[in-house]
Amino acid sequence: MNNRTPVGVDTPGIVAGRLPDPVYVAQFSDSHPPLTSSQALVEAERCYGCYDAPCTSACPAGIDVPRFIQRIAQKNIRGAAYAILDANELGGICARVCPTEALCEQVCVRNTQEGKPVEIGLLQRYATDTYFVDPGKPLFHRAALSGKRVAVVGAGPAGLTVAHRLARLGHNVVLFEAKPKLGGLNEYGLASYKTTGDFAQHEIRWLLSIGGISVRTHQMLGRDIHLDALRAEFDAVFLGMGLAGVNALGIPEPAASGLEEAVDFIARLRQCDDLASFPVGRQVVVIGGGMTAVDAAVQAKKLGAREVTMVYRRGESAMKASAVEIDWARSNGVTIRHWAAPKAVHSAEGKVTGITLAVTCEQGGRLVESGETFTLPADMILKAIGQTYVSEPAGAGLMLQDGRIAVDEQGRTSLPGVWAGGDCVAGGLDLTVDAVRLGKLAAFSIDATLRAADGAASDALVEESCHG
Ligand SMILES: Cc1cc2nc3c(=O)[nH]c(=O)nc-3n(C[C@H](O)[C@H](O)[C@H](O)COP(=O)(O)OP(=O)(O)OC[C@H]3O[C@@H](n4cnc5c(N)ncnc54)[C@H](O)[C@@H]3O)c2cc1C
Ligand code: SF4
């Protein structure tokens, strides 16, 4: 422990070290601590093992939930991990970040009986965490090698899923990633208190251990590599580049310090090894009403900001963040102000000083300004008003829908031999587990297409014994 004196929450400006060191540790510890073995056994016993289980249908990755929970109850943790990772290779991180209240746990029949679902996310985490501590012999084996090569662009949840699934099916994969680290938003986006330690990288090391996946980092499509060249060199190409752009505020944005994209703030924080060295404002305003806004606001508060206010232009029911996330923000001391839209960002001497907001209301279903305004003092303003797909790197040949890549139900794009999935395609849920779903669909379609080209039927995966 060092002897640093905290500067305190009242110091104006954007400064580091507002809190005592032990407080940072506590603030950024696991938001949902894992179950102990005995808690997991008790919780597993609550599962009825429903036939045609609604939780499985509600899981975008299609995990057979009753099956893995039953295996936990039988103390067959390897078998439980198999059931999870067979359907969702990122089942470890999904167990931490899935909004289970809107997915598997929302439809658990225990809700109607006891008002409390089986804690599916926590049980999934128990099984995968326990398995990852000592994986032993490989859980999955590669099918006979096909001799086919697939280029995967983007190593976020979608690209990682495709890479692992295709490697498992016997194809060789080259994974191209623009950033220095793999993981996409698992590594650079998810809130620190949801994915403590180095879990994202730990999971990726396991995923790559299947073999057959060559990794090339610092390789950006459109700069270092080009779609036409990939199509010529590889048997298939998968695009999983996520959303690299952000929406503009729509008002003049001064070139002042303290005005930042929330995703950049979160990414810097995720890569910071010493939270006491991470600067944060005294009065922080976060613009937006989604998951990114909540994560930025809560983390600013946990870093020691005195006041954090989320401002959102419509009412609470229109917020993209779930009720659980909104409660989480409030319980962490974040103030939420609805019906407020940015009007002017103020700055002095190159630093942000505040923001004026227009009071809004709905008239005939349209959002309009009422004519009233109010101003919030701020030394830090984080913009979280949505991310966008940037089409330039992939070139103009791809058909778009709603500003993202248009794909069919198998993830095929308008270009022959090119598939896409995850946040960069139209029609998804913009969740980690949904990127896994879309990646799986594309991987199976790529596999079937490559095998059909050879006149061979797609081999079925053979499940190894889970009871050994
Ligand atoms: C702040 C934040 C918090 C979130 N929290 C949650 C949560 O709690 N729970 C949840 O379920 N979902 C959450 N999400 C959503 C979730 O993270 C995404 O839906 C998911 O990561 C999408 O996966 P992806 O693989 O499509 O894209 P990404 O994760 O964005 O990965 C895309 C990858 O492609 C790379 N790339 C981009 N362009 C290029 C290029 N030209 N060449 C090469 N590589 C490129 C990127 O560097 C990145 O590694 C959150 C999102 C954000 C922004
Ligand atoms: S992956 Fe997510 S949605 Fe699916 S069962 Fe697990 S926690 Fe629920």
Side-chain angles (χ1 to χ4, degrees):
M1 189 80 58
N2 66 31
N3 294 323
R4 190 179 57 80
T5 307
V7 299
V9 296
D10 283 323
T11 306
I14 301 178
V15 297
R18 289 186 178 278
L19 306 172
D21 288 344
V23 178
Y24 285 110
V25 176
Q27 297 279 54
F28 284 86
S29 64
D30 227 315
S31 53
H32 293 92
L35 299 175
T36 62
S37 301
S38 46
Q39 286 170 331
L41 284 176
V42 170
E43 192 59 22
E45 292 294 346
R46 292 184 63 230
C47 177
Y48 288 130
C50 304
Y51 176 73
D52 231 356
C55 47
T56 294
S57 310
C59 170
I63 291 178
D64 188 338
V65 174
R67 186 169 177 221
F68 91 74
I69 293 182
Q70 188 186 37
R71 288 178 178 178
I72 291 177
Q74 294 163 346
K75 300 190 183 169
N76 175 5
I77 302 306
R78 185 178 167 82
Y82 186 98
I84 295 161
L85 298 169
D86 184 36
N88 177 352
E89 30 271 280
L90 294 173
I93 205 121
C94 285
R96 291 162 161 77
V97 306
C98 271
T100 51
E101 68 280 0
L103 299 171
C104 51
E105 292 179 16
Q106 185 184 38
V107 295
C108 176
V109 294
R110 283 275 184 190
N111 272 319
T112 36
Q113 300 202 333
E114 294 171 3
K116 187 175 176 297
V118 174
E119 304 232 56
I120 297 168
L122 280 173
L123 284 170
Q124 180 170 316
R125 177 169 172 183
Y126 170 75
T128 48
D129 280 6
T130 311
Y131 163 71
F132 281 134
V133 169
D134 182 17
K137 62 180 179 161
L139 210 47
F140 304 112
H141 298 284
R142 295 187 70 194
L145 297 189
S146 67
K148 303 288 184 191
R149 295 172 71 237
V150 181
V152 172
V153 182
L160 289 168
T161 300
V162 172
H164 185 268
R165 192 66 54 165
L166 288 177
R168 212 178 141 189
L169 289 161
H171 310 296
N172 284 332
V173 176
V174 180
L175 186 52
F176 296 95
E177 167 57 48
K179 293 218 162 90
K181 286 185 181 175
L182 307 185
L185 292 169
N186 284 2
E187 174 61 35
Y188 293 98
L190 301 171
S192 303
Y193 44 75
K194 287 185 184 171
T195 54
T196 53
D198 201 22
F199 185 78
Q201 293 306 314
H202 188 69
E203 187 172 56
I204 290 167
R205 282 192 286 279
W206 170 80
L207 200 134
L208 295 178
S209 70
I210 191 157
I213 306 172
S214 313
V215 172
R216 303 204 188 145
T217 52
H218 301 101
Q219 292 297 300
M220 182 182 273
L221 187 72
R223 184 191 67 192
D224 311 298
I225 48 171
H226 299 278
L227 188 53
D228 286 349
L230 294 179
R231 290 178 74 201
E233 183 185 342
F234 290 87
D235 296 295
V237 178
F238 174 82
L239 302 176
M241 289 110 62
L243 303 174
V246 285
N247 286 317
L249 279 182
I251 55 170
E253 297 185 23
S257 67
L259 179 63
E260 188 179 9
E261 293 299 337
V263 283
D264 294 338
F265 170 80
I266 292 169
R268 286 194 296 115
L269 183 55
R270 272 299 300 272
Q271 299 307 306
C272 177
D273 291 332
D274 173 20
L275 292 171
S277 71
F278 194 92
V280 70
R282 176 174 65 167
Q283 289 160 305
V284 180
V285 172
V286 182
I287 307 168
M291 205 181 265
T292 304
V294 169
D295 285 353
V298 171
Q299 291 185 100
K301 191 77 183 128
K302 283 177 177 286
L303 284 166
R306 191 182 71 188
E307 288 161 24
V308 179
T309 309
M310 269 174 72
V311 291
Y312 180 59
R313 63 194 173 135
R314 292 182 187 273
E316 185 151 326
S317 60
M319 287 173 77
K320 269 193 162 180
S322 69
V324 169
E325 285 163 339
I326 293 168
D327 282 354
W328 169 249
R330 288 206 173 101
S331 65
N332 277 283
V334 173
T335 303
I336 304 180
R337 295 195 63 165
H338 299 105
W339 304 108
K343 199 82 179 138
V345 174
H346 307 293
S347 62
E349 295 169 2
K351 293 179 185 167
V352 157
T353 55
I355 181 166
T356 295
L357 298 123
V359 175
T360 55
C361 57
E362 266 181 3
Q363 264 176 20
R366 281 183 54 239
L367 191 71
V368 293
E369 293 181 7
S370 71
E372 277 178 71
T373 61
F374 65 97
T375 298
L376 296 175
D379 37 35
M380 191 175 219
I381 299 176
L382 300 173
K383 298 176 283 176
I385 51 171
Q387 295 172 265
T388 54
Y389 170 66
V390 179
S391 61
E392 285 75 17
L398 281 175
M399 194 182 287
L400 301 185
Q401 180 191 337
D402 302 329
R404 304 196 195 188
I405 302 173
V407 287
D408 68 9
E409 68 291 344
Q410 293 183 31
R412 289 179 294 214
T413 71
S414 56
L415 288 179
V418 181
W419 283 254
D423 284 2
C424 67
V425 303
L429 297 176
D430 292 350
L431 293 174
T432 309
V433 67
D434 204 49
V436 171
R437 174 183 72 87
L438 292 163
K440 267 172 67 178
L441 283 175
F444 285 126
S445 175
I446 292 170
D447 177 63
T449 304
L450 296 182
R451 287 179 193 281
D454 272 358
S458 182
D459 289 335
L461 288 171
V462 181
E463 182 179 338
E464 72 171 31
S465 166
C466 295
H467 305 281

PDB file of all heavy atoms in Angstrom, residues 42-59:
ATOM      1  N   VAL A  42     -27.183 -25.700  -4.299  1.00  0.00           N
ATOM      2  CA  VAL A  42     -28.534 -25.361  -3.822  1.00  0.00           C
ATOM      3  C   VAL A  42     -29.326 -24.697  -4.956  1.00  0.00           C
ATOM      4  O   VAL A  42     -30.482 -25.034  -5.219  1.00  0.00           O
ATOM      5  CB  VAL A  42     -28.445 -24.420  -2.586  1.00  0.00           C
ATOM      6  CG1 VAL A  42     -29.822 -23.871  -2.226  1.00  0.00           C
ATOM      7  CG2 VAL A  42     -27.819 -25.141  -1.403  1.00  0.00           C
ATOM      8  N   GLU A  43     -28.668 -23.766  -5.667  1.00  0.00           N
ATOM      9  CA  GLU A  43     -29.355 -23.040  -6.743  1.00  0.00           C
ATOM     10  C   GLU A  43     -29.711 -24.003  -7.890  1.00  0.00           C
ATOM     11  O   GLU A  43     -30.803 -23.917  -8.473  1.00  0.00           O
ATOM     12  CB  GLU A  43     -28.461 -21.896  -7.247  1.00  0.00           C
ATOM     13  CG  GLU A  43     -29.140 -20.897  -8.151  1.00  0.00           C
ATOM     14  CD  GLU A  43     -30.346 -20.190  -7.527  1.00  0.00           C
ATOM     15  OE1 GLU A  43     -30.454 -20.135  -6.292  1.00  0.00           O
ATOM     16  OE2 GLU A  43     -31.187 -19.712  -8.315  1.00  0.00           O
ATOM     17  N   ALA A  44     -28.802 -24.918  -8.191  1.00  0.00           N
ATOM     18  CA  ALA A  44     -29.062 -25.876  -9.281  1.00  0.00           C
ATOM     19  C   ALA A  44     -30.283 -26.734  -8.978  1.00  0.00           C
ATOM     20  O   ALA A  44     -31.054 -27.091  -9.872  1.00  0.00           O
ATOM     21  CB  ALA A  44     -27.829 -26.740  -9.516  1.00  0.00           C
ATOM     22  N   GLU A  45     -30.476 -27.042  -7.704  1.00  0.00           N
ATOM     23  CA  GLU A  45     -31.625 -27.869  -7.313  1.00  0.00           C
ATOM     24  C   GLU A  45     -32.952 -27.149  -7.558  1.00  0.00           C
ATOM     25  O   GLU A  45     -33.999 -27.775  -7.611  1.00  0.00           O
ATOM     26  CB  GLU A  45     -31.534 -28.259  -5.823  1.00  0.00           C
ATOM     27  CG  GLU A  45     -30.393 -29.210  -5.479  1.00  0.00           C
ATOM     28  CD  GLU A  45     -30.548 -30.593  -6.091  1.00  0.00           C
ATOM     29  OE1 GLU A  45     -31.652 -30.913  -6.558  1.00  0.00           O
ATOM     30  OE2 GLU A  45     -29.545 -31.333  -6.116  1.00  0.00           O
ATOM     31  N   ARG A  46     -32.914 -25.820  -7.696  1.00  0.00           N
ATOM     32  CA  ARG A  46     -34.163 -25.077  -7.929  1.00  0.00           C
ATOM     33  C   ARG A  46     -34.671 -25.253  -9.361  1.00  0.00           C
ATOM     34  O   ARG A  46     -35.826 -24.942  -9.659  1.00  0.00           O
ATOM     35  CB  ARG A  46     -33.965 -23.580  -7.640  1.00  0.00           C
ATOM     36  CG  ARG A  46     -33.731 -23.270  -6.170  1.00  0.00           C
ATOM     37  CD  ARG A  46     -33.651 -21.761  -5.936  1.00  0.00           C
ATOM     38  NE  ARG A  46     -34.885 -21.086  -6.259  1.00  0.00           N
ATOM     39  CZ  ARG A  46     -34.978 -20.007  -7.042  1.00  0.00           C
ATOM     40  NH1 ARG A  46     -33.891 -19.487  -7.575  1.00  0.00           N
ATOM     41  NH2 ARG A  46     -36.137 -19.446  -7.290  1.00  0.00           N
ATOM     42  N   CYS A  47     -33.804 -25.725 -10.264  1.00  0.00           N
ATOM     43  CA  CYS A  47     -34.214 -25.862 -11.669  1.00  0.00           C
ATOM     44  C   CYS A  47     -35.131 -27.081 -11.816  1.00  0.00           C
ATOM     45  O   CYS A  47     -34.801 -28.167 -11.358  1.00  0.00           O
ATOM     46  CB  CYS A  47     -32.966 -26.014 -12.548  1.00  0.00           C
ATOM     47  SG  CYS A  47     -33.350 -26.271 -14.292  1.00  0.00           S
ATOM     48  N   TYR A  48     -36.286 -26.892 -12.444  1.00  0.00           N
ATOM     49  CA  TYR A  48     -37.242 -27.992 -12.655  1.00  0.00           C
ATOM     50  C   TYR A  48     -36.825 -28.894 -13.807  1.00  0.00           C
ATOM     51  O   TYR A  48     -37.445 -29.919 -14.041  1.00  0.00           O
ATOM     52  CB  TYR A  48     -38.625 -27.434 -12.977  1.00  0.00           C
ATOM     53  CG  TYR A  48     -39.344 -26.803 -11.802  1.00  0.00           C
ATOM     54  CD1 TYR A  48     -39.902 -25.543 -11.916  1.00  0.00           C
ATOM     55  CD2 TYR A  48     -39.486 -27.495 -10.599  1.00  0.00           C
ATOM     56  CE1 TYR A  48     -40.578 -24.966 -10.852  1.00  0.00           C
ATOM     57  CE2 TYR A  48     -40.152 -26.920  -9.532  1.00  0.00           C
ATOM     58  CZ  TYR A  48     -40.691 -25.655  -9.656  1.00  0.00           C
ATOM     59  OH  TYR A  48     -41.356 -25.084  -8.607  1.00  0.00           O
ATOM     60  N   GLY A  49     -35.837 -28.477 -14.575  1.00  0.00           N
ATOM     61  CA  GLY A  49     -35.443 -29.265 -15.751  1.00  0.00           C
ATOM     62  C   GLY A  49     -36.572 -29.337 -16.769  1.00  0.00           C
ATOM     63  O   GLY A  49     -36.860 -30.399 -17.323  1.00  0.00           O
ATOM     64  N   CYS A  50     -37.206 -28.197 -17.020  1.00  0.00           N
ATOM     65  CA  CYS A  50     -38.399 -28.171 -17.890  1.00  0.00           C
ATOM     66  C   CYS A  50     -38.114 -28.827 -19.249  1.00  0.00           C
ATOM     67  O   CYS A  50     -37.056 -28.612 -19.836  1.00  0.00           O
ATOM     68  CB  CYS A  50     -38.839 -26.747 -18.171  1.00  0.00           C
ATOM     69  SG  CYS A  50     -39.171 -25.778 -16.719  1.00  0.00           S
ATOM     70  N   TYR A  51     -39.105 -29.575 -19.731  1.00  0.00           N
ATOM     71  CA  TYR A  51     -39.054 -30.066 -21.114  1.00  0.00           C
ATOM     72  C   TYR A  51     -39.378 -28.877 -22.012  1.00  0.00           C
ATOM     73  O   TYR A  51     -40.225 -28.062 -21.663  1.00  0.00           O
ATOM     74  CB  TYR A  51     -40.079 -31.205 -21.286  1.00  0.00           C
ATOM     75  CG  TYR A  51     -40.161 -31.716 -22.695  1.00  0.00           C
ATOM     76  CD1 TYR A  51     -39.135 -32.501 -23.219  1.00  0.00           C
ATOM     77  CD2 TYR A  51     -41.241 -31.378 -23.504  1.00  0.00           C
ATOM     78  CE1 TYR A  51     -39.190 -32.947 -24.517  1.00  0.00           C
ATOM     79  CE2 TYR A  51     -41.307 -31.825 -24.807  1.00  0.00           C
ATOM     80  CZ  TYR A  51     -40.279 -32.605 -25.311  1.00  0.00           C
ATOM     81  OH  TYR A  51     -40.333 -33.042 -26.601  1.00  0.00           O
ATOM     82  N   ASP A  52     -38.720 -28.755 -23.150  1.00  0.00           N
ATOM     83  CA  ASP A  52     -38.969 -27.616 -24.038  1.00  0.00           C
ATOM     84  C   ASP A  52     -38.750 -26.302 -23.276  1.00  0.00           C
ATOM     85  O   ASP A  52     -39.583 -25.391 -23.297  1.00  0.00           O
ATOM     86  CB  ASP A  52     -40.429 -27.653 -24.529  1.00  0.00           C
ATOM     87  CG  ASP A  52     -40.485 -27.519 -26.041  1.00  0.00           C
ATOM     88  OD1 ASP A  52     -39.416 -27.333 -26.636  1.00  0.00           O
ATOM     89  OD2 ASP A  52     -41.600 -27.586 -26.593  1.00  0.00           O
ATOM     90  N   ALA A  53     -37.634 -26.217 -22.579  1.00  0.00           N
ATOM     91  CA  ALA A  53     -37.417 -25.149 -21.598  1.00  0.00           C
ATOM     92  C   ALA A  53     -37.459 -23.757 -22.224  1.00  0.00           C
ATOM     93  O   ALA A  53     -36.764 -23.498 -23.213  1.00  0.00           O
ATOM     94  CB  ALA A  53     -36.069 -25.365 -20.920  1.00  0.00           C
ATOM     95  N   PRO A  54     -38.248 -22.849 -21.638  1.00  0.00           N
ATOM     96  CA  PRO A  54     -38.322 -21.488 -22.182  1.00  0.00           C
ATOM     97  C   PRO A  54     -36.988 -20.747 -22.106  1.00  0.00           C
ATOM     98  O   PRO A  54     -36.693 -19.904 -22.949  1.00  0.00           O
ATOM     99  CB  PRO A  54     -39.392 -20.801 -21.316  1.00  0.00           C
ATOM    100  CG  PRO A  54     -39.603 -21.672 -20.142  1.00  0.00           C
ATOM    101  CD  PRO A  54     -39.180 -23.048 -20.511  1.00  0.00           C
ATOM    102  N   CYS A  55     -36.170 -21.065 -21.092  1.00  0.00           N
ATOM    103  CA  CYS A  55     -34.878 -20.369 -20.950  1.00  0.00           C
ATOM    104  C   CYS A  55     -33.972 -20.677 -22.139  1.00  0.00           C
ATOM    105  O   CYS A  55     -33.244 -19.795 -22.623  1.00  0.00           O
ATOM    106  CB  CYS A  55     -34.201 -20.768 -19.640  1.00  0.00           C
ATOM    107  SG  CYS A  55     -34.196 -22.541 -19.347  1.00  0.00           S
ATOM    108  N   THR A  56     -34.024 -21.909 -22.622  1.00  0.00           N
ATOM    109  CA  THR A  56     -33.192 -22.283 -23.774  1.00  0.00           C
ATOM    110  C   THR A  56     -33.648 -21.527 -25.021  1.00  0.00           C
ATOM    111  O   THR A  56     -32.836 -21.016 -25.781  1.00  0.00           O
ATOM    112  CB  THR A  56     -33.259 -23.809 -23.996  1.00  0.00           C
ATOM    113  OG1 THR A  56     -32.633 -24.427 -22.871  1.00  0.00           O
ATOM    114  CG2 THR A  56     -32.554 -24.241 -25.263  1.00  0.00           C
ATOM    115  N   SER A  57     -34.991 -21.439 -25.190  1.00  0.00           N
ATOM    116  CA  SER A  57     -35.497 -20.685 -26.351  1.00  0.00           C
ATOM    117  C   SER A  57     -35.141 -19.213 -26.242  1.00  0.00           C
ATOM    118  O   SER A  57     -34.931 -18.539 -27.246  1.00  0.00           O
ATOM    119  CB  SER A  57     -37.011 -20.794 -26.458  1.00  0.00           C
ATOM    120  OG  SER A  57     -37.395 -22.121 -26.371  1.00  0.00           O
ATOM    121  N   ALA A  58     -35.072 -18.690 -25.003  1.00  0.00           N
ATOM    122  CA  ALA A  58     -34.800 -17.254 -24.829  1.00  0.00           C
ATOM    123  C   ALA A  58     -33.311 -16.931 -24.913  1.00  0.00           C
ATOM    124  O   ALA A  58     -32.943 -15.769 -24.981  1.00  0.00           O
ATOM    125  CB  ALA A  58     -35.345 -16.781 -23.486  1.00  0.00           C
ATOM    126  N   CYS A  59     -32.462 -17.956 -24.887  1.00  0.00           N
ATOM    127  CA  CYS A  59     -31.014 -17.707 -24.981  1.00  0.00           C
ATOM    128  C   CYS A  59     -30.644 -17.586 -26.460  1.00  0.00           C
ATOM    129  O   CYS A  59     -30.804 -18.543 -27.221  1.00  0.00           O
ATOM    130  CB  CYS A  59     -30.232 -18.856 -24.350  1.00  0.00           C
ATOM    131  SG  CYS A  59     -28.452 -18.738 -24.704  1.00  0.00           S
TER     132      CYS A  59
END
